[in-house]
Amino acid sequence: MSPLLSMEDVSLSFKEKRVLDHLAFQVERGECFGFLGPSGAGKTTTIKLLTRQLVKDSGRITLFGRPIEHASNADYERIGVLSDTSALYERMSIEDNLRFYAKIRGVTGNNLPTLLERMNLADDRKTLVKNCSKGMRQRAALLAALVHGPELLFLDEPTSGLDPAARAEVHKMLRELNDAGTTVFLTTHDMAEAEDLCRRVGILDEGRLVACDAPEALRLRFAKNEVLMRLADGRVVRTSKDAAGASAVAEALASGGCLSIHSVEPNLEEVFLELTGREF
Ligand SMILES: Nc1ncnc2c1ncn2[C@@H]1O[C@H](COP(=O)(O)OP(=O)(O)OP(=O)(O)O)[C@@H](O)[C@H]1O
Ligand SMILES: [Mg+2]
């Protein structure tokens, strides 16, 4: 089966500045794909290309198995977008905003009560957006991207600026959507978020994809040859993943004084450092 979307050798420059440099990746149907990178890496630009708000200079992009140049309006009905500038009308309530977006999308909005409930906004549905907290706005904006039941959802930093509770609510909603079959393309600065939500991640640096794999596979690729033991006497012992390490571990276990043993794998921030030589 062809991927739901793919980029092959895609480049884009703004004037003389190369912003995307020979990008290539695929997203399969049903995936939650994380697109990670520091500020200015090209994440939003990539979403804009995939949603035809910008046109590539070179390379090939396919969407729903067809070249993006041939995408129809019907194809765009299959997509939802939460951009970094998604707009809600300040003087309208959350519910009226969602009804408005449902109308634009040509759907009844019969699903709105369920969506509001799932996003924990049912009690606040009459609140004017201008009186909403940032978390409420972001959750409402996410619902606005969902009113027509898209198969493919582009989310540009959906949890940026949210407090931990609001972030957890958005994550819960995204997991539910993805479990129900929605394909999610998510950009984030937040490595932990990507590790948490995404089966695969692409890591973008200055317009180049420096890695594209499962977070676990990336961490294992850069894993250190190290095992960390915490002992009851307060010592933290580092040993190697080999025969010498095995006897140190066996000894600690036999002594009965070993509180924990961890194999040392880097997190995605450390992976980024390994790949680029720079802090994320
Ligand atoms: N319309 C434009 N004209 C000129 N340069 C642009 C334009 N849009 C983006 N850029 C530049 O392209 C690069 C990538 O921008 P982009 O917004 O895609 O980054 P990003 O990864 O989304 O960053 P952030 O995490 O801050 O949102 C940046 O250097 C940015 O300044
Ligand atoms: Mg951006």
Side-chain angles (χ1 to χ4, degrees):
M1 211 164 62
S2 59
L4 202 64
L5 67 85
S6 73
M7 279 197 164
E8 215 181 302
D9 207 20
V10 171
S11 295
L12 177 74
S13 298
F14 289 121
K15 300 220 170 93
E16 66 283 358
K17 185 174 182 225
R18 175 69 62 99
V19 172
L20 297 178
D21 197 0
H22 300 284
L23 269 198
F25 64 87
Q26 301 187 338
V27 177
E28 304 294 335
R29 182 177 294 278
E31 246 192 309
C32 181
F33 182 79
F35 209 51
L36 278 162
S39 189
K43 303 180 296 296
T44 298
T45 305
T46 303
I47 286 191
K48 285 184 174 167
L49 284 180
L50 290 167
T51 53
R52 265 176 74 176
Q53 299 169 68
L54 284 172
V55 179
K56 62 188 162 46
D57 294 335
S58 59
R60 285 160 298 285
I61 302 178
T62 66
L63 191 62
F64 302 123
R66 284 184 293 283
I68 196 161
E69 294 76 12
H70 301 164
S72 63
N73 286 344
D75 287 329
Y76 282 91
E77 293 305 317
R78 299 163 71 185
I79 287 176
V81 186
L82 174 70
S83 76
D84 53 355
T85 53
S86 284
L88 296 171
Y89 291 89
E90 294 280 322
R91 291 189 206 174
M92 276 162 58
S93 69
I94 291 177
E95 186 173 34
D96 287 345
N97 265 284
L98 297 179
R99 294 215 175 281
F100 175 75
Y101 278 101
K103 206 167 168 184
I104 292 178
R105 286 293 194 167
V107 293
T108 59
N110 290 344
N111 58 345
L112 288 185
T114 318
L115 285 175
L116 285 162
E117 200 67 56
R118 276 169 68 186
M119 242 328 173
N120 205 8
L121 284 171
D123 292 344
D124 295 310
R125 66 188 189 284
K126 302 282 183 209
T127 304
L128 300 186
V129 169
K130 69 184 171 91
N131 297 331
C132 285
S133 69
K134 190 159 185 195
M136 286 161 71
R137 278 167 193 256
Q138 191 67 345
R139 283 180 283 145
L142 178 56
L143 291 192
L146 290 173
V147 287
H148 58 300
E151 287 167 52
L152 170 60
L153 196 53
F154 291 100
L155 303 174
D156 200 356
E157 310 216 15
T159 58
S160 135
L162 298 189
D163 66 34
R167 186 170 172 273
E169 259 160 16
V170 170
H171 284 183
K172 181 165 167 273
M173 176 96 183
L174 293 183
R175 274 199 202 91
E176 284 175 16
L177 278 168
N178 189 233
D179 287 347
T182 309
T183 307
V184 178
F185 182 97
L186 168 102
T187 78
T188 180
H189 281 101
D190 183 343
M191 298 278 191
E193 172 166 278
E195 286 194 75
D196 225 26
L197 291 175
C198 304
R199 194 172 62 81
R200 280 194 319 130
V201 295
I203 300 183
L204 196 65
D205 180 43
E206 296 183 337
R208 283 185 307 275
L209 199 65
V210 290
C212 189
D213 211 332
E216 181 67 10
L218 289 174
R219 282 195 274 113
L220 288 177
R221 197 187 303 167
F222 295 101
K224 296 198 172 63
N225 177 27
E226 214 170 55
V227 176
L228 200 79
M229 294 187 290
R230 205 168 290 278
L231 305 182
D233 62 10
R235 279 185 302 144
V236 175
V237 176
R238 288 174 188 273
T239 185
S240 48
K241 287 180 188 161
D242 52 19
S247 39
V249 170
E251 204 176 297
L253 288 175
S255 75
C258 181
L259 298 179
S260 67
I261 304 178
H262 297 285
S263 153
V264 181
E265 276 91 41
N267 59 26
L268 285 184
E269 261 141 26
E270 289 156 340
V271 168
F272 185 83
L273 180 66
E274 293 280 348
L275 286 165
T276 65
R278 289 185 292 111
E279 299 272 342
F280 188 76

